[in-house]
Structures are given as structure tokens and as C-alpha cells.
Amino acid sequence: MKALLLENIHPAAVETLESRGYEVELRTGSLSEDELIAALAGGVQLLGIRSNTTVTKRVLDESPDLLAIGCFCIGTNQVDLVAAAEKGIGVFNAPYSNTRSVVELVIAELIALARRLPEKTQRMHEGTWDKSAKGSHEVRGRTLGIVGYGNIGTQLSTVAEALGLNVVFYDTADRPAHGTARRMRSLKDLLAVADVVSLHVDGRPGNAGFFGAAEFAAMKPRALFLNASRGMVVDYEALRDNLISGHIAGAAVDVFPAEPKAQGDAFDSVLRGLDNVILTPHIGGSTQEAQEEIGWFVAEKLARFALEGSTALSVNLPAVLPPELPSGRRIGLLHRNLPGVLAELNATFATAGDNVVDQHLATKDGLGYVVTDAAAPLSAEAIDTLSKAEYCMWVRTW
């Protein structure tokens, strides 16, 4: 059993998979499409990536041994989720593990920009003593506008409020406010009152170019702007124009539309060279604590899917969390969600004189997944009959 982990994934993932019997290959950088296909050709069952490796339909089509993909991060837009689901390949991520790390970076950048620390430290390194309060402010009493009130946005809301900021938020989904945060009816309403705007939206294609010239123009004069979500959601040319004009007082950016593939590669951006801008290399979730948590969390999800049939927290398959493997036998059936599948499956057990000990079923987006623990193994003939059914995508035994 082989696993391939890319992009410097934490050793905790290696330890977890090796403890479950996997031979693990660990690589520090990301791979191109052709390189990834070649790397997976050696019978790799589990693939681990972060945000810089793209798993396309072609990669999936040419990797017949691949069972599951682990995104050792929050986002999964780098994987063709529809194509993966069609092939029955489970995709897993870590939706909660690095939220605190991202929040702490945003808070640190917010304070640094409010106190104009980037330009102050640069002046000191240049040998200039510039002790002045001009343009420096406390964050207490200021209004933070959070765009995207998910796992990170809500935790940021709580921490920011504890620092004395007033919090407003906007989200297209109906989400409850934390603490005294106020929901705004539109993005325009939020931009009109926020002294600081922080983006925390996902990377779905519809969010491309979400924040551009019109949105920057709608922000309060001398407001601050932060993006630790996805690079493709912001027009950075428009941000540069507003920084140079002075309409935006400062910005902190951790994500970019195109990011270098490996450590030490060259980086360029239209925002380079501006003294009121903090640029960081997509390190929002890059703390030892977060990476260790993500490492074992996602690796355990991959192992339980491959070895036990669990799809708990899968982002593209129906979620089934069966108990640990019982003393009997387990069969997993991923199928088209058609009427009568469960009845036909149970009839197969009945015909074989086998007793169903435990059974779990879930459906999602036209797919169904049922895990059945039986008192005895089904015959090879019965399993072959199931696998040839028109509704069957795959059938596996554990």
C-alpha cells in the first residue's frame, strides 16, 4: 500500500500512515500535471497535497490505483471534485485545524498596519530614526468588516471583539452572529462602515474577481485591507492603484493568483515595493501547531477511508461513519442513487443466508454509499454480481 505526500506535509501524516501499514513517499515541492501522473503511476493509493498542486480530471483518469486525496489545508478547489466523485475517489480536507493560526496572523497584520510597523522597521534598517505618531492608531474602537463568516471569519470575530474592535460581517449564507457582531445586509453596507476589511471567502470559481475597483472605491477613505483567503478573488492592480492614491491606507496580503511551486522560487507581484503593504508567502495556516494537527487529522481520514470504508468529512462523497471494524465482514457499496439499491443489496445477503449486523447509508449529489457489516463474508460470486450492477460505482470489502 503506497501513499504520496507533496508540498512538505508535516511528519505527523507520515507517522500516521506508516502506523496503518502504508509505504509513504514524502516530497517537499508541488508537481505539474504530467509530473503528478508519473508519480502516481507506481500504484499509489493515497495522495496528499496542499494548495499548490492541482489534481485535474486527466490526472484522475490516468491514475487507476488512486483511492483518495487528502488536502492538507482548508481549501479543496485545487481538486476536480466532480470528476473525483464520478470515479469514487474520496477527497478530504482539514476545515478546522488551522483556523486559529490564520486568525492570529490576521490580527497581527491588522495591528502592524494600524501602527505603520512595516515602514517604521524599514526606516530603522535604513538607519533613520522616525519616532512619530502620525498615521498610527489603536485598533480599539475601530470597526472590523469580515467578508465571509465561516470557520475562520467567526473565530476572527471573537478574537477581534476581545481586543475592543467593533465587528460587522457579510456572508451570502445565513450564519449566526458571534458575540456582539452585526450582520450587514450587503457587501456595500459593510464597506461603508468598516475601518478594516478582511476577506475570508472560499475559492469557488464564482468568487474569481470578487473584490475589484468598485469595491475598493466603496471602502472608507484610509481604511485597511487584508486578504488571507484566495488570491484569485482580488484585483491586485486595483488595490495597488488605491494604495498609491492614498484611498487605502495599508494592506496585508497572504495569497496570490499565481504562487511559486517550491521553496526558494522567484516571486513577483504588483504590490512589491510599497511600504504600507505586508506581503507573506501563503503562511496563514503555517504554524507548527496547525501543520501537526492537519497532518494527523487528514492522514487519519485517508487511512480510515481506505482501510475501513469511512467517508466522514469527505467533501465529495456521501458521509458515512461506520464503527471500527467488527469481528464480522464489511462491504462498502458506492452507487448511483437509484430506487431499490438498498433492497437489492439486502436481498443479496438474504439469498446468501448471511446476517446483516450493522448498516449505514448516506446520499449526496446523485450518489449513495452504504456500508454493511455482516456476520460472514459474501461469496466472490455475490460480490461479482453486485459489482456488475448498473448502479454500482465500486464495491469493496474489509
Side-chain angles (χ1 to χ4, degrees), residues 283-334:
I283 57 169
S286 296
T287 62
Q288 289 297 312
E289 294 83 0
Q291 292 308 306
E292 181 176 0
E293 170 86 9
I294 291 170
W296 73 258
F297 182 89
V298 178
E300 185 64 23
K301 293 291 178 287
L302 292 174
R304 288 210 64 192
F305 175 69
L307 302 176
E308 301 176 13
S310 171
T311 53
L313 293 184
S314 171
V315 299
N316 68 327
L317 297 182
V320 171
L321 178 59
E324 293 185 6
L325 281 173
S327 58
R329 297 294 184 264
R330 174 169 292 172
I331 292 179
L333 173 64
L334 183 69

Side-chain angles (χ1 to χ4, degrees), residues 374-388:
L378 275 179
S379 67
E381 292 79 9
I383 293 173
D384 185 59
T385 299
L386 285 173
S387 67
K388 292 178 179 177

Side-chain angles (χ1 to χ4, degrees), residues 162-316:
L163 286 173
L165 285 113
N166 303 311
V167 178
V168 296
F169 70 93
Y170 171 71
D171 198 303
T172 55
D174 187 14
R175 302 186 185 276
H178 284 214
T180 61
R182 292 186 295 120
R183 180 187 184 94
M184 306 304 288
R185 297 182 63 181
S186 68
L187 177 60
K188 183 178 179 181
D189 290 344
L190 179 144
L191 298 178
V193 300
D195 300 301
V196 183
V197 174
S198 188
L199 299 190
H200 300 282
V201 299
D202 61 33
R204 71 187 70 180
N207 282 339
F210 164 75
F211 209 98
E215 287 71 32
F216 286 117
M219 289 174 63
K220 292 177 65 175
R222 306 301 294 167
L224 302 175
F225 177 81
L226 300 92
N227 184 21
S229 59
R230 293 290 182 271
M232 45 79 85
V233 306
V234 176
D235 180 347
Y236 286 132
E237 292 279 0
L239 174 57
R240 176 183 171 84
D241 292 343
N242 279 274
L243 287 163
I244 292 174
S245 71
H247 178 63
I248 303 300
V253 175
D254 187 49
V255 288
F256 304 88
E259 298 182 353
K261 291 291 185 182
Q263 188 83 356
D265 284 358
F267 163 76
D268 199 13
S269 169
V270 296
L271 301 175
R272 285 181 56 199
L274 301 178
D275 63 7
N276 54 343
V277 176
I278 299 173
L279 301 179
T280 49
H282 203 153
I283 57 169
S286 296
T287 62
Q288 289 297 312
E289 294 83 0
Q291 292 308 306
E292 181 176 0
E293 170 86 9
I294 291 170
W296 73 258
F297 182 89
V298 178
E300 185 64 23
K301 293 291 178 287
L302 292 174
R304 288 210 64 192
F305 175 69
L307 302 176
E308 301 176 13
S310 171
T311 53
L313 293 184
S314 171
V315 299
N316 68 327

Side-chain angles (χ1 to χ4, degrees), residues 24 27 46 63 86 160 243 338:
V24 181
R27 301 195 189 185
L46 305 180
S63 305
E86 280 296 310
L243 287 163
L338 302 173

